[in-house]
Amino acid sequence: MLKEERFNHILKELKSSNKVFFENLSKELRVSEDTIRRDIDHLSKSGLLVKVRGGAMSPSVNPLSFQDRTGLFSDAKKVIALKTQQLLRDVQTVIMDGGTTLLAVAASIPIQSKLRIITNNMALIPILAHHEQVDIIVLGGMYNRVTQTNLGIQTALEAQKYQADLYLMGTCAIHSSKGLTAAVHEDGELKKVFMKAAAQTAVLSNHEKLETVEFFNVTGLSDVDTLITDLPSNDARLNAYRPFGLEIL
Amino acid sequence: MLKEERFNHILKELKSSNKVFFENLSKELRVSEDTIRRDIDHLSKSGLLVKVRGGAMSPSVNPLSFQDRTGLFSDAKKVIALKTQQLLRDVQTVIMDGGTTLLAVAASIPIQSKLRIITNNMALIPILAHHEQVDIIVLGGMYNRVTQTNLGIQTALEAQKYQADLYLMGTCAIHSSKGLTAAVHEDGELKKVFMKAAAQTAVLSNHEKLETVEFFNVTGLSDVDTLITDLPSNDARLNAYRPFGLEIL
DNA sequence: TACAATTTTGCATAATATTGCAAAAATAAA
DNA sequence: TTTATTTTTGCAATATTATGCAAAATTGTA
């Protein structure tokens, strides 16, 4: 029996019952459990199934194409996304970088909005598929599978060529004395470029990111124009940031 | 017995049972397994079957030959895609532009391939999500919803910064006297840049595009190194292109 | 037809892939 | 925490595939 026939057997069984077990497959296909284990390993690397303890399961639906089902976003992100809409009403050109918060923002943009969005965030594209009035300018670079963003020198060089009204900054750590910091060097540098390219910078942050620090400095808080969190704007936990003169939404 | 007769026998058997074994074929056709192996090699390079350990399978039943969840790809595109794989074995860096044919090519790249892909084709990204050894360099620009590609001056400027071993050209019209032409101006200009950036250019084309002309000139056929269609390489409809000294797969 | 050049074929051998086993490591359960 | 179970890793035996080579067959040319 060919290896690929075993693969087909496994996938067929997975299709009908949604879960397969090493033990059963080993008996059905008359090979050792090790072989089944390796088969499943192979199939999982191809994304055709996901390994679980004792066997494998069908992969969860649509990994990349449609994240715009709002149920996928946490309440905190939805709150931030809705607050952000008021900033988008008065601008033409917006820079948006990485992070799922910005996906939530994009998902809540009204379908008839007229906007130009400059981004290195590839996950944004399918979300904006039906916004025919939204122009998307993609910033190229080395694609990062984990963050689904383009990064690198090339991305920064491209970003410098544009002028935007607003920069919506997604992922970063915020600290009242250390300012904004990023976990990835290239991402941190890119954020600096984005700030220069935009007339106004708004930082979007879950309250859990407040008073945290990452390794790479981006900027001080006085360079930020607006801070948007999931907290009420008068929440005490935001007091530390009020002296910097930024607008808190 | 002629080689062509063996081919026919193999393909016939493949059609009826979806799989063939070297051992059986060797006995049936009274030649050594080596000869069968070479025959299968040839048919595999012609995109008519996929080799597996011990024999070969028809591409449609091999779960690993295509990552085609949607069943979107036509037989012609699958043949072209499988033929194209032989070019990818010896290169490091490949430029791929727009068109669904190139999506089929990407979908048939083995999961363990090591490759660097330079592209303005955003639809390529989710297909290559599980190819951890494939680096993707995205070329930025104005995103076009219909073609799912980035276009414009910016895209061309970026493309000029790279050197590639191979350029796989997707959508274009081919004519024996008019050469290659494109339907969209920016796309045509970009194709010229891609050709300059790559050491070798291969044009992928459905046979229905042969002897058709679009409005924007790209280049003459003598600048093309390889032509890959869904037709057998000795098909009479390809004769018009043979004088240009390009390799026809 | 005869001869040279090319292609095809089968074989030996080296390289590679698959399989099952056993020990070590990691994970879940008590 | 300890214990039981599952998973990973390394290994050796076996099977398959790729490669170079020489003989045979085929093709083209005079």
Side-chain angles (χ1 to χ4, degrees):
Chain A
M1 176 176 252
L2 297 171
K3 188 163 52 139
E4 284 72 13
E5 297 184 81
R6 291 202 308 267
F7 289 170
N8 274 330
H9 180 102
I10 294 170
L11 291 172
K12 192 177 161 192
E13 194 163 320
L14 197 70
K15 213 171 185 178
S16 68
S17 61
N18 239 29
K19 172 150 193 201
V20 291
F21 301 90
F22 296 127
E23 205 184 327
N24 300 350
L25 289 170
S26 167
K27 285 175 191 162
E28 289 162 25
L29 297 167
R30 294 160 190 278
V31 290
S32 76
E33 252 182 80
D34 301 72
T35 300
I36 298 294
R37 211 175 277 284
R38 274 184 276 240
D39 288 351
I40 286 197
D41 224 67
H42 197 154
L43 293 171
S44 110
K45 279 182 181 149
S46 307
L48 295 167
L49 48 72
V50 288
K51 289 199 282 182
V52 296
R53 203 178 168 79
M57 297 188 74
S58 304
S60 55
V61 283
N62 286 8
L64 210 87
S65 47
F66 278 104
Q67 306 227 0
D68 61 341
R69 304 218 310 262
T70 43
L72 292 176
F73 299 119
S74 69
D75 288 344
K77 287 194 207 310
K78 284 186 209 167
V79 169
I80 295 172
L82 290 176
K83 283 186 182 177
T84 305
Q85 294 310 311
Q86 61 190 287
L87 291 183
L88 295 178
R89 272 199 285 275
D90 312 316
V91 297
Q92 282 200 310
T93 306
V94 192
I95 298 174
M96 296 170 74
D97 64 0
T100 45
T101 307
L102 284 173
L103 300 187
V105 171
S108 56
I109 292 176
I111 194 84
Q112 74 281 9
S113 283
K114 288 180 190 172
L115 262 183
R116 177 186 290 142
I117 294 178
I118 301 172
T119 189
N120 65 328
N121 189 344
M122 297 295 95
L124 233 47
I125 293 176
I127 294 175
L128 296 168
H130 301 291
H131 293 68
E132 310 224 332
Q133 311 268 44
V134 173
D135 287 341
I136 303 174
I137 294 175
V138 172
L139 301 171
M142 274 290 303
Y143 177 71
N144 181 314
R145 284 192 171 73
V146 179
T147 59
Q148 297 187 60
T149 55
N150 303 327
L151 288 178
I153 298 171
Q154 195 52 45
T155 319
L157 287 174
E158 273 188 68
Q160 284 170 356
K161 302 192 173 176
Y162 303 105
Q163 289 291 332
D165 304 313
L166 174 64
Y167 166 32
L168 297 179
M169 191 191 298
T171 332
C172 75
I174 303 175
H175 192 277
S176 50
S177 59
K178 309 279 185 183
L180 302 184
T181 47
V184 178
H185 186 204
E186 289 170 318
D187 183 50
E189 292 302 310
L190 192 57
K191 280 169 164 41
K192 291 183 194 173
V193 174
F194 284 159
M195 290 185 74
K196 272 196 183 167
Q200 190 193 347
T201 296
V203 174
L204 281 53
S205 172
N206 195 292
H207 74 273
E208 286 159 10
K209 290 268 183 66
L210 299 177
E211 293 309 285
T212 63
V213 181
E214 293 288 353
F215 191 66
F216 297 99
N217 289 325
V218 177
T219 183
L221 285 174
S222 51
D223 294 324
V224 177
D225 300 288
T226 312
L227 173 62
I228 307 176
T229 75
D230 52 318
L231 300 172
S233 61
N234 58 359
D235 193 286
R237 282 167 284 184
L238 296 168
N239 288 349
Y241 310 104
R242 298 188 207 280
F244 296 94
L246 37 74
E247 185 185 20
I248 296 180
L249 298 182
Chain B
M1 175 174 265
L2 251 54
K3 206 179 358 171
E4 292 294 333
E5 295 183 73
R6 291 203 308 268
F7 288 170
N8 286 334
H9 180 102
I10 294 171
L11 290 174
K12 193 176 159 193
E13 194 164 320
L14 195 73
K15 215 169 188 175
S16 69
S17 59
N18 280 330
K19 63 190 175 195
V20 291
F21 299 89
F22 294 126
E23 204 183 329
N24 299 349
L25 290 170
S26 167
K27 285 175 190 162
E28 290 162 24
L29 297 167
R30 294 163 192 280
V31 289
S32 75
E33 276 191 45
D34 301 73
T35 300
I36 299 294
R37 187 164 271 115
R38 275 183 276 240
D39 288 350
I40 296 256
D41 226 69
H42 183 264
L43 294 172
S44 150
K45 281 180 178 162
S46 306
L48 299 172
L49 48 73
V50 288
K51 291 198 282 181
V52 298
R53 200 178 169 85
M57 294 180 90
S58 97
S60 56
V61 298
N62 184 328
L64 298 181
S65 65
F66 271 96
Q67 194 192 29
D68 183 16
R69 284 178 197 166
T70 48
L72 185 76
F73 303 128
S74 67
D75 285 348
K77 285 195 206 315
K78 285 184 188 173
V79 169
I80 294 171
L82 291 174
K83 279 186 184 178
T84 305
Q85 295 308 312
Q86 61 193 290
L87 293 182
L88 296 180
R89 288 181 53 165
D90 312 315
V91 297
Q92 283 201 305
T93 306
V94 193
I95 298 173
M96 295 171 73
D97 64 0
T100 45
T101 306
L102 283 173
L103 300 187
V105 171
S108 58
I109 293 176
I111 196 77
Q112 72 279 13
S113 284
K114 288 179 189 170
L115 218 49
R116 176 186 290 143
I117 294 179
I118 301 173
T119 189
N120 65 328
N121 190 342
M122 298 295 97
L124 233 45
I125 294 177
I127 293 176
L128 296 168
H130 295 282
H131 293 68
E132 308 217 336
Q133 312 263 48
V134 174
D135 287 340
I136 303 175
I137 294 176
V138 173
L139 301 171
M142 274 293 300
Y143 177 73
N144 181 312
R145 282 192 173 70
V146 179
T147 60
Q148 296 188 65
T149 55
N150 303 326
L151 287 177
I153 298 170
Q154 195 52 43
T155 318
L157 286 175
E158 272 187 69
Q160 284 170 355
K161 302 193 174 178
Y162 303 104
Q163 289 290 333
D165 303 313
L166 174 66
Y167 166 33
L168 296 179
M169 192 190 296
T171 332
C172 76
I174 303 177
H175 192 276
S176 49
S177 58
K178 310 278 184 183
L180 303 184
T181 47
V184 177
H185 185 209
E186 289 172 316
D187 183 49
E189 292 304 309
L190 193 56
K191 280 170 164 39
K192 291 183 194 172
V193 175
F194 284 158
M195 289 186 75
K196 271 197 183 167
Q200 191 193 346
T201 296
V203 174
L204 281 52
S205 172
N206 195 293
H207 75 272
E208 286 160 10
K209 290 268 183 65
L210 298 177
E211 293 309 284
T212 64
V213 181
E214 295 287 354
F215 191 65
F216 298 99
N217 287 326
V218 177
T219 183
L221 285 174
S222 50
D223 293 325
V224 176
D225 300 288
T226 312
L227 174 62
I228 307 177
T229 76
D230 53 316
L231 300 173
S233 61
N234 59 0
D235 193 286
R237 284 167 282 184
L238 295 168
N239 288 348
Y241 310 103
R242 298 188 206 280
F244 296 95
L246 37 75
E247 187 185 19
I248 296 179
L249 297 183

